[in-house]
Amino acid sequence: MNRLFLPLLLPIALAGCHGSANINFDGNDTDGNSVISTDANGRIQIKAPGIQGSITLPKMPLDAKNFDIDGVTLYPGSTLKNLKVNDKGGDKSGEKDGEVIVEFESPAAPTVVRDWFRDNMTKQGFKVTTKDDNLIGTTDDGQPFALQLSAAGDGKTKGLMQVGR
């Protein structure tokens, strides 16, 4: 799981989500904890085995173009509100387990956003099932996902996507 999402996380963090989104990576391996996080002032902190540091970047909001899971971006015009990557360790075969949680807001009604995700996920090889305004299924590489959508005022949607175990 980390192979898929960790390379994605650092460029997103380095895009400078200051004032716009909160990004966290929490992991635990045999060498210790690994954390990449940002704060409202644009400071990115990295703590991992053998490396530790921080940098402050200029304000740049993260939107639909800055995020991608297996070829699927957020609905056009969406803004990323929270991104969290959890490393859940590995199973007995040494395969890493993990989870990505994405919170976003989209400028369209839940059914419009749901249909857009369903169509784009299907094009990317996801197996998708619709349940009310929500989607569940697996990514093209078999990772489970759930997309929960709810109305957030006039023609807007709040979304929560979970990918992984």
Side-chain angles (χ1 to χ4, degrees):
M1 179 73 165
N2 285 344
R3 291 178 284 132
L4 178 65
F5 295 110
L6 291 183
L8 170 71
L9 183 61
L10 191 54
I12 289 175
L14 293 177
C17 64
H18 142 53
S20 172
N22 183 35
I23 298 177
N24 295 294
F25 164 75
D26 296 314
N28 203 336
D29 60 22
T30 57
D31 296 324
N33 294 324
S34 300
V35 177
I36 298 174
S37 62
T38 65
D39 64 23
N41 297 318
R43 172 161 277 174
I44 297 171
Q45 297 180 353
I46 302 170
K47 295 180 184 176
I51 186 171
Q52 181 172 339
S54 67
I55 185 172
T56 301
L57 297 174
K59 184 176 180 177
M60 290 173 53
L62 292 177
D63 61 21
K65 296 176 285 190
N66 301 113
F67 186 80
D68 175 314
I69 290 184
D70 288 351
V72 178
T73 61
L74 296 179
Y75 181 86
S78 295
T79 53
L80 186 62
K81 298 299 182 185
N82 192 21
L83 171 65
K84 185 167 187 171
V85 178
N86 294 318
D87 176 9
K88 295 185 175 184
D91 62 17
K92 292 179 184 176
S93 70
E95 186 69 27
K96 289 284 187 179
D97 257 351
E99 171 181 60
V100 174
I101 301 168
V102 181
E103 293 179 57
F104 60 93
E105 190 171 283
S106 298
T111 55
V112 172
V113 175
R114 179 203 63 207
D115 293 347
W116 185 90
F117 270 106
R118 184 193 61 225
D119 294 346
N120 283 282
M121 289 174 162
T122 302
K123 287 177 189 173
Q124 293 299 324
F126 287 43
K127 291 182 174 62
V128 181
T129 301
T130 302
K131 185 176 181 187
D132 301 321
D133 284 336
N134 306 310
L135 301 174
I136 57 172
T138 56
T139 65
D140 65 335
D141 63 354
Q143 294 294 320
F145 80 87
L147 176 62
Q148 300 171 358
L149 301 169
S150 60
D154 191 28
K156 292 184 181 177
T157 298
K158 284 178 66 174
L160 174 70
M161 182 185 302
Q162 294 177 271
V163 181
R165 301 181 204 296

